Amino acid sequence: MPTTLNQQIQNLAQQIGLDIKTINSAQGDLSSLTTTQKASLVLAINELKSALSQVAESVIDDSQTLSTKTWSSNKIVSEITSKCAEVKSALLGGAGDAYDTLKELADLITENKELIDSLQELAGAHVRYDAAQELSPEQQGQARANIDAASDTEYQQTKSAVGTLANLTTTEKTNLVGAINEVKGLATTAKNTADQASTKATSVETALNTFKGDVGATDTNFVAVYTAARDGE
């Protein structure tokens, strides 16, 4: 049976009602909006956009770094790129274009592994001065021979030959150099004293010779001279 015009209009009205119901259900109750604008979604969205713009203007600041602000996405990308370049430069240490990636460096190490192992073996065969090192008696002996150094036994023998510093009769008893310097100081003082005594002895001798010249001969028989004078001889 053909649908009447009245029925078609009823169907249309019913469909429109259902669609509006769906739209109303999808958009929700506008009175529940937390924005100031509650009359329409457009006004509410515009209000929200305006608030977000104000937040962006107060929070985004590319000129400084603060805990209360952030950089723009452009600034963040720029800083990340710059720091990545710095890290790459630090890792590669100015390596040339042929070795400016970790893969190329890894390949280079792999290709020269035997040479690196040889260098490590060579380095391990040398006496270190920057860290402790375990050496066999033979290695120790060879190392001492290479630098003409005394062994501990030789050192102890020398130490025994030198004697115990505490037994020194000098005031200085902690090292030989100090004791020798002390003895040398005493010797120098003694020499200076002897030189002064020699100078004084020379002066006395000179004075005595002068005195002898002034006195004259001391072997004259003054009694005989007196007797001769007395007896008129």
Side-chain angles (χ1 to χ4, degrees):
M1 181 179 186
T3 303
T4 64
L5 177 61
N6 179 274
Q7 186 62 47
Q8 291 179 358
I9 294 174
Q10 287 185 40
N11 292 341
L12 175 61
Q14 184 178 18
Q15 185 61 49
I16 292 174
L18 291 174
D19 291 343
I20 291 176
K21 179 180 179 181
T22 301
I23 292 173
N24 288 337
S25 177
Q27 79 173 16
D29 185 4
L30 296 183
S31 64
S32 299
L33 287 169
T34 58
T35 57
T36 303
Q37 295 292 340
K38 301 179 185 294
S40 74
L41 287 177
V42 173
L43 294 177
I45 292 172
N46 289 341
E47 179 183 337
L48 179 61
K49 180 178 181 298
S50 176
L52 289 175
S53 298
Q54 294 175 4
V55 171
E57 291 176 359
S58 62
V59 172
I60 296 177
D61 188 350
D62 288 348
S63 64
Q64 54 185 337
T65 301
L66 298 172
S67 60
T68 57
K69 293 182 178 295
T70 185
W71 291 336
S72 65
S73 60
N74 290 338
K75 175 72 172 180
I76 292 174
V77 171
S78 175
E79 285 297 314
I80 291 175
T81 302
S82 175
K83 295 305 178 184
C84 287
E86 291 179 10
V87 171
K88 179 180 178 180
S89 176
L91 288 174
L92 299 178
D97 294 339
Y99 306 108
D100 62 353
T101 67
L102 293 177
K103 176 64 169 57
E104 290 170 340
L105 290 176
D107 291 343
L108 179 64
I109 292 173
T110 301
E111 293 171 3
N112 295 274
K113 187 177 185 305
E114 292 184 1
L115 176 60
I116 294 174
D117 291 342
S118 299
L119 290 175
Q120 289 178 334
E121 182 179 355
L122 180 63
H126 285 72
V127 178
R128 301 189 61 170
Y129 59 85
D130 60 340
Q133 187 178 23
E134 293 185 4
L135 299 176
S136 67
E138 293 76 13
Q139 291 172 328
Q140 293 176 1
Q142 185 62 60
R144 284 194 297 270
N146 290 345
I147 62 175
D148 196 23
S151 65
D152 183 65
T153 300
E154 294 170 332
Y155 165 73
Q156 294 299 334
Q157 291 174 347
T158 302
K159 181 179 178 182
S160 177
V162 170
T164 304
L165 297 182
N167 294 333
L168 287 168
T169 58
T170 55
T171 303
E172 174 59 62
K173 299 179 185 298
T174 58
N175 66 80
L176 286 176
V177 173
I180 292 172
N181 288 340
E182 181 180 336
V183 172
K184 181 179 182 298
L186 294 174
T188 300
T189 300
K191 179 179 181 301
N192 292 338
T193 302
D195 289 343
Q196 293 174 0
S198 176
T199 301
K200 290 181 179 180
T202 301
S203 300
V204 171
E205 183 180 3
T206 302
L208 180 60
N209 290 335
T210 302
F211 176 74
K212 285 181 178 180
D214 293 340
V215 172
T218 59
D219 58 350
T220 302
N221 189 344
F222 293 106
V223 174
V225 173
Y226 162 73
T227 303
R230 185 194 65 185
D231 296 340
E233 297 179 1

